[in-house]
Amino acid sequence: MRDLMKALSELETQLVDNYGVTLNEAMVLCSVGGDTVSAGDITACTGMTPSHASKTIRAVEDKGLLLRKLGEHDKRQMYFALTRKGKNCLGRIKEHGVDAPAWLLPLFDGPEAG
């Protein structure tokens, strides 16, 4: 358990240092990608609780990486899309990547990686 937490901490430190986003914020960027998605979609994709996803979405919005839009058919529904800055950040992450700690490498090679 300690090794897992240490590896995740190393990964997050790289993301913050190189791209200015936390691990959870990077997961939100990846879950949105080039689409317009609901908070529920982000929650399902990231595995975060709705409360945690909401806080992370707000943090990504505050950094100017995510744009909130009202639903066209249901004005109570919120949808999210990446801003130009968010697309650039996600593009840099995909292009340059991170040096995953050795302990996490098998997770990056799995069928659901990326």
Side-chain angles (χ1 to χ4, degrees), residues 51-89:
S51 174
H52 191 188
S54 178
K55 290 175 188 172
T56 305
I57 288 168
R58 174 60 66 180
V60 176
E61 283 181 291
D62 289 347
K63 290 181 178 184
L65 304 173
L66 196 63
L67 180 65
R68 182 182 298 247
K69 300 177 182 182
L70 285 175
E72 290 181 20
H73 301 292
D74 182 351
K75 301 294 182 194
R76 297 171 297 174
Q77 184 70 27
M78 289 292 170
Y79 291 93
F80 302 91
L82 297 183
T83 62
R84 181 182 313 258
K85 184 178 175 183
K87 289 176 185 176
N88 289 339
C89 182

Side-chain angles (χ1 to χ4, degrees), residues 11-40:
L11 184 61
E12 183 162 60
T13 297
Q14 282 188 57
L15 286 166
V16 170
D17 290 348
N18 296 330
Y19 307 108
V21 293
T22 66
L23 180 58
N24 286 331
E25 291 166 353
M27 289 193 315
V28 168
L29 293 177
C30 289
S31 68
V32 174
D35 298 325
T36 299
V37 300
S38 70

Side-chain angles (χ1 to χ4, degrees), residues 100 102-114:
W103 203 82
L104 295 177
L105 284 177
L107 299 175
F108 283 80
D109 294 331
E112 295 179 10

